[in-house]
Amino acid sequence: MLTIKEDKGTGVVTSVPSDAPDDIAALRDIKKKQVLYLFYGISFSFLDLVPIIEIPGYGNLSAPLVCDELKIQSQNDREKLAEAKEKVYLKGFYEGIMLVEGFKGQKVQDVKKPIQKMMVEKGEAMIYMEPEKQVLSRSADECVVALCDQWYLDYGNEEWKKQATGVLEALETFCDETRKNFEATLAWLQEHACSRSYGLGTRLPWDEQWLIESLSDSTIYMAYYTVAHLLQGGVLNGQGPSPLGIRAEQMTREVWDYIFFKTAPFPKTDIPKEKLQKLRREFEFWYPVDVRVSGKDLVPNHLSYYLYNHVAMWPNDSGKWPKAVRANGHLLLNSEKMSKSTGNFLTLSQAIAKFSADGMRLTLADAGDTVEDANFVEAMADAGILRLFTWVEWVKEMIANQNNLRTGPVDTFNDRVFISEMNSSIIKTEQHFERMMYKEALKSGFFEFQAAKDKYRELAIEGMHRDLVFQFIENQTLLLAPICPHLCEHTWSLLGKSSSIMKARWPTAGPVDEILIRSSQYLMDTAHDLRLRLKAYTQPAKGKKGDNKPPAKPTHCTIYVAKTYPPWQHSALSLLGKHYKSNNGALPDNKVIAMELGAMPELKKYMKRVMPFVAMIKDNLEKNGPRVLDLELEFDECAVLLENIVYLTNSLELDQIDVVFASEADDKVKEDCCPGKPFCVFRSESGVLVSLVNPQPANGLFSTRIDIRQGDSKDSIIRRLSRVNRGIKDLSKVKLMRFEDPILGPRRIPVLGKEEEGKIPISNSSVFHVNLQENKVHMSDNGLKMDIGDTLIYLVQ
């Protein structure tokens, strides 16, 4: 067998091909190569597999089964064999059931110790200990490790383990992986050597030739922190004066018992009673430990001992047991382990000089929260500093231009969405900070918060509301302050706040309208889908090269909105909803669903489309919850689109978008349209080219020609003009005019300072009409019809 280490133990191990992937791979190799079993003198009569363990899901021959699943060909497939061992060994130890007589029906993890004891008593085995890996000294010499007399803490004691498990059940671990690591440790933890013969440490009370080793002696020292300031003040080495005037030799075991245990009698001591009572009150006030933060590598030892030892110290006082353990991973630098030898390291002073204190804090918060290794990426630090700079510059811009922001009622669709999104982010960020999930807090309290502002700025065609802008700035500054305190202090002062931000209260979140937020997300998804459809529409049809030209860019779009699902989708959703309710939120396998749907006569001709639809609903159910099974949307889809029709029209660079119900369309549209998934049809409408001239001097706005189409209004023409002339930023400042004399007017030379002379403003009620055959444009206003010629005037105020 290729994986045997000949220098470990005797170099001979038991072969268990029924449950060990390495062993079955070696056995199969020998069977394949006749020269091997002839050379070793192996008889095939000894090569039959003997089942010894039944593993749920793997049967009683788990190793062959997993090797076949992973298609392991030989012992050389080392990566696949490692994966196979990981699957089989873990499940086999914790869930495997013995098939061997004498231990039949018992769990593997329960019989390990009894079998060991039985074999030693029969003289079939002896206790032998050896390091797992080679041990080398600093001089590169191989060390011989001797097993000497030793004191052990029996963490395998059933009663003690049960109590420690009880602590773990009530413990906040902030992460499922940390809890699983604790559970796995408590399951296998047995004896731990707790003493050593030299070095620093406390003497064992019952055997003073031994010292208590550090891992065993450092799990309840935080109890000392609660009174240290009263015993030694601020002097770490204990040589300074004691605030209570107590000497070290006075702190006997009985005195400590009185401080730490409520039921302990008052000790025989010359320490005044009021001083001891003060020490006890201080301990009772500060204990238990609210949270212990440490590295993930200490969960299998130090942190598990921490739970055990607190139970041992206070077995009948659960109020002193730890409340929470937060385990974190290691810190990587640019996705690599930090190492002086490779030069991949960054000192704290270097990092602050390079990225600033707040830049460092921002990047460290964004590096990672869980037990996975956090990754400090310098490129992300640079990007973070740029984000912070952009944020402060935007705040300055808003303060300077606040009088140009919209005022009045805060009641538009996008105003209400922005308010709800701010409130939602405040709540989420507070929850993340409470759980010390700083990456998540930064995500919800900065990145997503900024994204909500950007979306509001894009969608608010009528302009952002001043009150909401400054409410956003204040909230953003408060949410970011725990991570970037220096920059937020500066921003706070820009807002005219007289006191420090450190004295400010956390922002109070108002009500959150989740349905409104989802309707806004629907709007963004619909806009994205329309852009993709428009791009596909303008692509040339597939065929031979040069045969097809791309269609003309569309000018109009009709969006069809469905109130209800098509009948075949309605039936499928009804069945899924019925199963979901009756099975407590679970859905049966696709085979069962397919059989039930196939039995419905109305679905027979749709079966090719039904199951893909079911698969999509199942996928959405995991992402968005049971609301995807609703037969109607929770908001008015048509109203949302109409309220944002200007944004959609501008975003797609179309002249007009119509929103109609799918019930008014043909059968094909009805089949393809369902609630939340509108269907669109693009089209191009012809128009008459008209010149738009700007007579204002030295402004860079030139003459251009655009199409005037049937039914155009003043606003639609100005929007079309702004798409052609990107120099126009604020459409509200554009004034559209026509000549009093549509024939001679365009021929007259404009007079400087009298650009409006001989021209008439076009009102908001004006409607344009085109005659494509005669290539002429007319305009009607309050019943009056007039010819506009071939030229219009636009001024930018």
Side-chain angles (χ1 to χ4, degrees):
M1 193 169 157
L2 300 179
T3 54
I4 295 298
K5 297 176 182 176
E6 297 177 14
D7 58 347
K8 188 169 177 64
T10 62
V12 177
V13 298
T14 310
S15 180
V16 191
S18 61
D19 297 278
D22 279 339
D23 296 8
I24 188 63
L27 182 61
R28 286 175 172 177
D29 282 354
I30 287 182
K31 282 187 175 183
K32 289 176 188 175
K33 299 175 183 178
Q34 183 179 2
V35 65
L36 285 178
Y37 63 76
L38 291 176
F39 176 79
Y40 289 118
I42 299 174
S43 169
F44 270 116
S45 61
F46 294 103
L47 300 184
D48 294 331
L49 303 187
V50 180
I52 58 172
I53 299 172
E54 178 78 31
I55 303 176
Y58 291 101
N60 58 14
L61 295 174
S62 57
L65 178 68
V66 174
C67 285
D68 291 341
E69 285 180 354
L70 298 177
K71 298 179 180 178
I72 294 172
Q73 301 297 322
S74 72
Q75 296 179 77
N76 295 318
D77 294 340
R78 294 182 181 178
E79 289 185 6
K80 289 183 178 180
L81 282 170
E83 183 183 349
K85 284 189 284 187
E86 188 175 342
K87 285 184 174 184
V88 171
Y89 286 174
L90 190 66
K91 197 171 181 69
F93 182 75
Y94 291 111
E95 300 181 34
I97 303 297
M98 296 294 293
L99 301 176
V100 180
E101 290 300 328
F103 300 95
K104 196 170 184 179
Q106 298 184 52
K107 280 196 170 184
V108 173
Q109 61 177 341
D110 296 333
V111 301
K112 185 175 179 180
K113 282 289 180 182
I115 290 177
Q116 180 193 73
K117 184 179 178 183
M118 179 194 74
M119 293 177 71
V120 170
E121 288 175 352
K122 287 184 176 181
E124 297 174 349
M126 59 176 285
I127 300 296
Y128 169 78
M129 294 189 182
E130 183 178 1
E132 194 170 314
K133 296 179 182 177
Q134 187 182 35
V135 180
L136 295 177
S137 68
R138 292 185 179 179
S139 59
D141 294 315
E142 184 176 351
C143 297
V144 177
V145 181
L147 177 63
C148 305
D149 286 342
Q150 177 63 276
W151 288 101
Y152 289 88
L153 287 170
D154 186 9
Y155 289 129
N157 180 280
E158 287 188 14
E159 185 178 349
W160 196 9
K161 189 184 289 277
K162 185 177 179 181
Q163 287 179 303
T165 303
V167 178
L168 179 59
E169 287 174 359
L171 192 75
E172 172 62 75
T173 60
F174 302 96
C175 173
D176 286 339
E177 189 173 346
T178 301
R179 180 171 296 280
K180 288 176 181 177
N181 289 344
F182 267 117
E183 290 171 350
T185 300
L186 265 57
W188 64 256
L189 197 56
Q190 298 296 328
E191 298 89 357
H192 169 68
C194 63
S195 62
R196 58 185 176 186
S197 58
Y198 64 92
L200 295 173
T202 309
R203 298 262 172 207
L204 269 177
W206 59 87
D207 191 347
E208 293 199 355
Q209 67 170 316
W210 296 94
L211 294 162
I212 304 173
E213 61 84 35
S214 57
L215 274 180
S216 303
D217 202 25
S218 62
T219 52
I220 56 169
Y221 60 81
M222 55 290 302
Y224 177 68
Y225 292 166
T226 63
V227 295
H229 60 292
L230 297 176
L231 296 175
Q232 63 186 71
V235 182
L236 294 178
N237 63 9
Q239 299 301 310
S242 168
L244 291 182
I246 298 175
R247 301 184 308 279
E249 57 268 20
Q250 289 179 288
M251 298 301 294
T252 62
R253 190 178 304 168
E254 291 76 17
V255 169
W256 283 116
D257 285 349
Y258 179 76
I259 295 170
F260 290 152
F261 304 117
K262 293 178 182 178
T263 57
F266 191 83
K268 292 180 181 180
T269 178
D270 55 355
I271 302 174
K273 185 174 183 179
E274 62 272 14
K275 291 185 178 180
L276 282 186
Q277 287 177 334
K278 184 176 180 62
L279 291 170
R280 175 185 268 192
R281 282 196 305 271
E282 201 74 6
F283 170 73
E284 290 291 338
F285 176 82
W286 288 110
Y287 235 63
V289 179
D290 289 316
V291 62
R292 178 74 180 278
V293 183
S294 195
K296 65 179 181 180
D297 53 317
L298 296 184
V299 171
N301 42 65
H302 181 87
L303 293 174
S304 293
Y305 305 158
Y306 167 67
L307 304 185
Y308 269 101
N309 291 0
H310 271 79
V311 168
M313 286 289 290
W314 293 278
N316 302 315
D317 188 0
S318 59
K320 298 295 185 295
W321 295 351
K323 288 185 175 180
V325 170
R326 178 77 156 78
N328 55 266
H330 304 128
L331 183 63
L332 304 177
L333 180 61
N334 296 321
S335 305
E336 295 180 5
K337 183 180 178 182
M338 282 192 279
S339 168
K340 286 186 178 180
S341 61
T342 62
N344 188 50
F345 71 94
L346 195 65
T347 67
L348 186 59
S349 57
Q350 287 173 336
I352 292 174
K354 191 172 184 179
F355 302 115
S356 78
D358 279 358
M360 275 290 292
R361 292 170 67 89
L362 182 81
T363 313
L364 286 169
D366 193 37
D369 284 324
T370 65
V371 292
E372 296 296 324
D373 291 342
N375 187 18
F376 183 96
V377 181
E378 293 188 79
M380 294 298 293
D382 289 332
I385 292 172
L386 183 59
R387 275 179 176 272
L388 295 177
F389 175 79
T390 304
W391 154 244
V392 175
E393 290 300 305
W394 184 82
V395 172
K396 292 177 182 177
E397 181 186 336
M398 290 299 103
I399 293 172
N401 298 323
Q402 58 183 301
N403 293 330
N404 296 327
L405 295 172
R406 178 169 60 91
T407 56
V410 185
D411 57 1
T412 69
F413 174 81
N414 292 299
D415 287 343
R416 291 180 285 115
V417 169
F418 188 42
I419 292 169
S420 273
E421 287 182 335
M422 280 197 292
N423 291 334
S424 176
S425 290
I426 291 170
I427 294 169
K428 289 178 184 176
T429 305
E430 183 174 7
Q431 292 170 346
H432 294 321
F433 272 129
E434 285 177 349
R435 292 178 59 81
M436 294 185 291
M437 304 294 284
Y438 302 114
K439 184 180 178 73
E440 294 299 317
L442 186 64
K443 178 184 174 185
S444 62
F446 184 56
F447 299 133
E448 291 179 355
F449 211 61
Q450 291 284 324
K453 177 260 295 180
D454 293 339
K455 186 177 82 168
Y456 177 55
R457 181 175 57 186
E458 179 186 352
L459 295 180
I461 302 297
E462 62 285 341
M464 297 189 292
H465 197 283
R466 183 168 64 193
D467 294 346
L468 293 186
V469 167
F470 282 91
Q471 181 185 341
F472 168 81
I473 293 173
E474 186 168 323
N475 287 339
Q476 176 65 98
T477 307
L478 291 168
L479 294 183
L480 190 59
I483 295 173
C484 300
H486 310 88
L487 177 120
C488 291
E489 188 72 64
H490 172 64
T491 309
W492 197 246
S493 67
L494 292 177
L495 293 174
K497 307 289 185 179
S498 56
S499 61
S500 169
I501 194 173
M502 297 304 152
K503 296 180 181 178
R505 296 183 65 84
W506 185 259
T508 302
V512 178
D513 190 337
E514 295 289 352
I515 295 176
L516 187 63
I517 292 175
R518 287 197 286 271
S519 68
S520 177
Q521 186 58 48
Y522 158 80
L523 173 66
M524 301 306 291
D525 292 341
T526 300
H528 177 69
D529 184 55
L530 288 173
R531 289 188 203 103
L532 294 179
R533 289 173 181 262
L534 179 60
K535 183 179 179 181
Y537 178 86
T538 55
Q539 296 295 319
K542 291 183 179 179
K544 294 182 180 179
K545 292 183 179 179
D547 286 355
N548 296 299
K549 294 181 180 179
K553 190 176 185 300
T555 61
H556 290 62
C557 174
T558 301
I559 300 177
Y560 293 96
V561 174
K563 291 182 178 180
T564 59
Y565 284 91
W568 66 273
Q569 292 183 351
H570 188 283
S571 299
L573 272 177
S574 299
L575 179 67
L576 293 175
K578 181 181 176 183
H579 278 298
Y580 188 84
K581 289 179 181 178
S582 60
N583 296 331
N584 295 321
L587 292 178
D589 291 338
N590 284 350
K591 289 183 180 179
V592 176
I593 295 173
M595 287 178 61
E596 294 187 25
L597 292 174
M600 298 181 182
E602 67 272 20
L603 297 184
K604 288 202 178 290
K605 68 175 183 177
Y606 298 105
M607 283 311 293
K608 288 184 179 180
R609 301 171 67 184
V610 166
M611 288 316 295
F613 175 73
V614 169
M616 180 197 73
I617 293 296
K618 278 189 167 184
D619 186 48
N620 288 340
L621 185 64
E622 292 182 10
K623 296 176 183 175
N624 303 317
R627 68 174 182 273
V628 302
L629 297 175
D630 294 341
L631 298 175
E632 293 183 3
L633 283 186
E634 55 200 348
F635 54 85
D636 189 336
E637 193 175 350
C638 189
V640 171
L641 294 176
L642 288 174
E643 197 163 353
N644 292 276
I645 201 70
V646 175
Y647 162 72
L648 291 173
T649 305
N650 292 349
S651 175
L652 297 170
E653 297 187 348
L654 298 174
D655 292 336
Q656 184 176 328
I657 293 179
D658 301 310
V659 180
V660 297
F661 287 113
S663 56
E664 302 172 15
D666 56 33
D667 291 340
K668 183 183 183 305
V669 172
K670 291 178 183 177
E671 288 294 326
D672 292 336
C673 189
C674 63
K677 296 289 183 184
F679 187 83
C680 67
V681 176
F682 296 102
R683 67 183 187 277
S684 296
E685 291 191 3
S686 301
V688 175
L689 274 174
V690 171
S691 296
L692 269 86
V693 178
N694 180 265
Q696 294 168 289
N699 63 0
L701 298 172
F702 304 108
S703 300
T704 187
R705 287 169 66 82
I706 67 169
D707 279 314
I708 303 292
R709 298 189 177 87
Q710 187 69 29
D712 268 343
S713 64
K714 168 191 166 184
D715 289 341
S716 64
I717 291 174
I718 292 175
R719 284 202 308 272
R720 198 173 306 143
L721 172 65
S722 69
R723 291 201 297 269
V724 177
N725 197 329
R726 299 296 183 179
I728 300 174
K729 302 298 182 184
D730 189 348
L731 303 189
S732 65
K733 294 183 178 181
V734 178
K735 188 174 184 180
L736 194 64
M737 309 183 76
R738 64 181 178 85
F739 286 101
E740 287 181 354
D741 186 339
I743 298 174
L744 292 179
R747 291 169 171 78
R748 292 193 179 101
I749 298 173
V751 180
L752 187 63
K754 297 181 179 180
E755 288 82 5
E756 297 188 26
E757 193 173 277
K759 304 170 186 73
I760 301 172
I762 294 175
S763 68
N764 292 328
S765 59
S766 299
V767 179
F768 290 83
H769 308 277
V770 298
N771 187 325
L772 297 176
Q773 287 76 24
E774 298 179 6
N775 205 35
K776 289 185 177 181
V777 180
H778 294 84
M779 187 183 76
S780 62
D781 191 357
N782 294 323
L784 297 176
K785 189 176 181 182
M786 58 213 76
D787 184 9
I788 68 164
D790 61 0
T791 305
L792 292 174
I793 299 297
Y794 73 96
L795 306 175
V796 179
Q797 299 169 347

